[in-house]
Amino acid sequence: MKLAGLSYQVARSLLSTQYAYMLEYRAEIALWALSGLLPFIMLSLWSNTQAGLDLGFKGFELSRYFLSAFLVRQFSVVWVVYAFEEDALLGRLSPYLLQPLHPLWRYAASHLAEQATRFPFALCIAGIFFVINPGAFWLPSLWILLLTWLATLMSFTISFLLQSLIAALCFWNEKASALERLLFVPYLFLSGLLAPISSFPPEVRKWSSLTPFPYLIDFPARVLSGLNVDVLGGFCIQILWICILLPLVIVLWRLGVRKYTAMGA
Amino acid sequence: MRRYFDSLKIFWGTALAIQLEYQFNALVELIAMFGSLAGSIFVLSLFFSNGNQLGGWSWEAALTVQGIYTLFDGITNTFLRPNLGAIVNYVREGTLDYVLLKPVDSQFWLSVRTFSPTGLPEIFLGFFLMTWASFSAGANITVGLFFIVAFMLICGLIILYSIWFLIASTTIWFVKTWNATEVLRALLASGRFPVSVYPSSLRFIFTFILPVAFLTTVPAEVLLGNSPTSMISSSLLVAIIFFVLSRLFWLFALRHYTSASS
């Protein structure tokens, strides 16, 4: 059975070659992991101010929330638009387009391989966090871990599709990656990376829940940290966004390939 | 000296010409900048909900810090990132050889080779926010104070530049870690908030190790009249230490440069 050119063998060899490739860049990936420290800086602010106390988090819940936000972010980082732009500019895209495998599978595989490489570094940072902050230690149940993994995977999928949409625009304008900035700004402020969604004023919370952003960090982080959250509702909205974005990406990609003339042509 | 001035004119003239080719990008950057500032102010406002204060800072005072941060962020996006972020490419491709052979100082060439005009509006916006917020906070701004704060901001700029340059020059050894500056950016983001709001351990780090405090909090305090103007001397001292350090480190790093593929 093949799905847009992807079979079991292809998937296995893609993942294993991408993993070997990513291992070569482990020093860089460790630094990327470190560059995601923002939730910890925000935690130190929230836990040190009256506004943080007013949030209604009990005990170590706030620490756990931000650690979870950090971890979810680590495994849902997406850079497909940059990789795609480089491939298109350097002409590497042309041979990829000739293969029966859809090029997006290749990018998806490299993201998953990067996450596997990142895993030990993220665990290390979490370990250091618990050494500094031993009271916050908790061991989620297997069931919670499974749900978190699923929610994070969905969050990754939504981000991946959103960026692929912008990447497909590169077929028309080779500098379309600038548009990614417009996606990153609302992501940064509405996803829950800097502040839990529950700290937002009700109006903002209502409007932001109509965007995919709170379901990218806040929802999986709440699941992992064991906070009160509507698990079923969250998953439904995540699936809904995937159902909206996937056809859009496929259509825009088809139109774009028809437009594609390769660099220098 | 004349040679440096002439080079600078040519460098920035070409940078502007390149940017004019991408007008659509400039528009996108402008929208992203306003969105980013609105988001930052929104997050800041969350700390002031229910009439709370942020570690003894009023809303207007905290906005002054935010304004200074925006100013420095604009400078980072306009000058530091396009130039210092590119050093690693010169090292990787071996083109640093050509830079070293040029009859101008290599640190000068690498630091001012280009600039990104799309960051300029952010600098103005930051300056405007800083001025407006400090007036709203009831600051008594005299001509003397204005010059003192301007001088402190220049010291802050020198500190910021030196830290960036220090990190960027490590790529002479570690070509693979080209994204080290991303970690720095993440840490510098802590300057959005007054340093006194952080727990004491972080406050120590942000004052003495990564002196974010001297970039935003200290100038803001002096501007608002909450800190004596004598803080100018500590700003100057830190700036001198970091600048000399960056210069010495660059000369040291160059001794270890072996060009690409050798």
Side-chain angles (χ1 to χ4, degrees):
Chain A
M1 199 191 89
K2 284 193 175 185
L3 190 65
L6 188 78
S7 66
Y8 174 68
Q9 282 93 345
V10 174
R12 218 180 55 177
S13 51
L14 259 186
L15 283 173
S16 59
T17 48
Q18 288 291 347
Y19 183 60
Y21 179 76
M22 287 298 167
L23 274 184
E24 263 303 299
Y25 286 93
R26 55 193 180 274
E28 285 201 337
I29 290 172
L31 281 178
W32 278 130
L34 267 181
S35 71
L37 289 178
L38 202 55
F40 296 125
I41 293 180
M42 293 314 290
L43 168 64
S44 68
L45 280 175
W46 282 110
S47 55
N48 219 19
T49 50
Q50 186 58 40
L53 295 176
D54 289 353
L55 285 182
F57 283 92
K58 288 184 287 291
F60 289 100
E61 281 177 351
L62 196 65
S63 311
R64 288 174 189 166
Y65 172 82
F66 277 107
L67 178 69
S68 304
F70 165 78
L71 289 172
V72 172
R73 165 81 180 141
Q74 289 295 311
F75 297 103
S76 58
V77 176
V78 171
W79 69 90
V80 61
V81 65
Y82 300 103
F84 180 83
E85 191 186 61
E86 201 183 311
D87 284 347
L89 277 175
L90 298 179
R92 276 194 299 242
L93 187 65
S94 306
Y96 291 167
L97 284 172
L98 288 176
Q99 294 175 5
L101 182 74
H102 197 292
L104 282 178
W105 282 124
R106 193 180 292 272
Y107 297 120
S110 81
H111 280 75
L112 292 175
E114 199 258 8
Q115 289 173 11
T117 319
R118 210 182 256 257
F119 191 68
F121 298 122
L123 276 191
C124 264
I125 294 175
I128 293 169
F129 178 81
F130 287 135
V131 168
I132 297 173
N133 205 348
F137 186 78
W138 87 111
L139 214 56
S141 66
L142 214 58
W143 173 239
I144 291 279
L145 284 177
L146 187 76
L147 284 179
T148 309
W149 174 73
L150 210 62
T152 310
L153 191 68
M154 299 260 232
S155 149
F156 164 71
T157 311
I158 296 172
S159 311
F160 188 85
L161 290 174
L162 273 172
Q163 262 203 24
S164 301
L165 216 54
I166 292 176
L169 290 176
C170 287
F171 283 120
W172 284 272
N173 177 341
E174 77 265 31
K175 277 273 180 184
S177 74
L179 285 173
E180 202 274 333
R181 290 253 300 156
L182 293 186
L183 194 64
F184 183 71
V185 170
Y187 168 81
L188 185 62
F189 296 108
L190 297 180
S191 65
L193 206 55
L194 303 181
I197 303 293
S198 56
S199 69
F200 290 1
E203 276 297 299
V204 183
R205 208 182 314 165
K206 204 174 80 191
W207 285 106
S208 69
S209 69
L210 299 176
T211 69
F213 303 112
Y215 302 95
L216 298 181
I217 300 283
D218 188 85
F219 168 63
R222 278 182 163 269
V223 173
L224 178 58
S225 52
L227 288 167
N228 186 18
V229 60
D230 177 10
V231 178
L232 197 67
F235 275 117
C236 284
I237 295 178
Q238 282 190 321
I239 292 171
L240 185 72
W241 275 107
I242 293 176
C243 291
I244 294 172
L245 290 168
L246 189 63
L248 275 178
V249 170
I250 294 174
V251 169
L252 203 65
W253 185 276
R254 283 221 180 115
L255 290 174
V257 171
R258 230 176 276 164
K259 177 98 174 81
Y260 181 66
T261 49
M263 265 297 138
Chain B
M1 215 45 215
R2 180 70 201 274
R3 186 190 297 160
Y4 284 86
F5 186 69
D6 286 346
S7 319
L8 203 61
K9 248 186 355 200
I10 297 172
F11 290 163
W12 290 1
T14 47
L16 195 66
I18 292 172
Q19 184 57 52
L20 288 177
E21 276 293 299
Y22 296 101
Q23 289 167 6
F24 172 70
N25 274 26
L27 182 71
V28 170
E29 286 288 328
L30 202 67
I31 299 171
M33 180 198 80
F34 277 110
S36 180
L37 186 65
S40 303
I41 293 177
F42 167 65
V43 169
L44 189 64
S45 76
L46 295 178
F47 288 100
F48 287 91
S49 55
N50 305 331
N52 283 319
Q53 294 261 312
L54 186 64
W57 287 68
S58 68
W59 167 243
E60 288 85 4
L63 268 185
T64 310
V65 175
Q66 181 76 50
I68 298 178
Y69 176 82
T70 309
L71 178 73
F72 279 125
D73 197 47
I75 292 173
T76 306
N77 289 332
T78 315
F79 298 103
L80 301 183
R81 201 147 56 116
N83 285 302
L84 305 181
I87 294 181
V88 66
N89 289 335
Y90 301 129
V91 176
R92 196 172 55 195
E93 292 163 9
T95 42
L96 186 64
D97 299 7
Y98 306 126
V99 179
L100 296 176
L101 288 173
K102 287 193 169 64
V104 287
D105 184 74
S106 56
Q107 185 167 359
F108 168 80
W109 195 95
L110 291 170
S111 305
V112 298
R113 174 63 191 80
T114 183
F115 86 109
S116 164
T118 48
L120 289 175
E122 198 181 355
I123 300 181
F124 293 123
L125 200 65
F127 185 77
F128 172 77
L129 183 62
M130 174 190 83
T131 319
W132 177 78
S134 57
F135 270 115
S136 313
N140 181 21
I141 301 174
T142 58
V143 179
L145 186 68
F146 177 80
F147 279 108
I148 286 171
V149 172
F151 188 79
M152 292 182 80
L153 290 178
I154 292 171
C155 289
L157 177 61
I158 295 172
I159 298 168
L160 184 67
Y161 161 78
S162 305
I163 298 172
W164 262 83
F165 194 76
L166 269 170
I167 300 286
S169 28
T170 58
T171 53
I172 295 262
W173 290 278
F174 316 109
V175 181
K176 264 178 145 191
T177 55
W178 54 269
N179 48 15
T181 49
E182 286 300 318
V183 182
L184 181 66
R185 268 172 77 81
L187 290 174
L188 289 176
S190 56
R192 280 169 205 259
F193 302 96
V195 79
S196 58
V197 188
Y198 292 99
S200 53
S201 53
L202 280 179
R203 219 179 305 158
F204 178 82
I205 293 174
F206 291 149
T207 310
F208 296 106
I209 299 170
L210 186 78
V212 181
F214 287 98
L215 300 183
T216 56
T217 311
V218 174
E221 278 179 332
V222 173
L223 185 62
L224 298 168
N226 299 335
S227 228
T229 47
S230 57
M231 282 305 278
I232 194 170
S233 51
S234 32
S235 266
L236 183 65
L237 185 71
V238 177
I240 291 173
I241 291 174
F242 271 84
F243 187 73
V244 170
L245 211 62
S246 83
R247 181 69 189 169
L248 290 179
F249 189 71
W250 178 240
L251 297 177
F252 174 70
L254 278 187
R255 271 195 276 149
H256 290 265
Y257 177 62
T258 50
S259 192
S261 79
S262 57

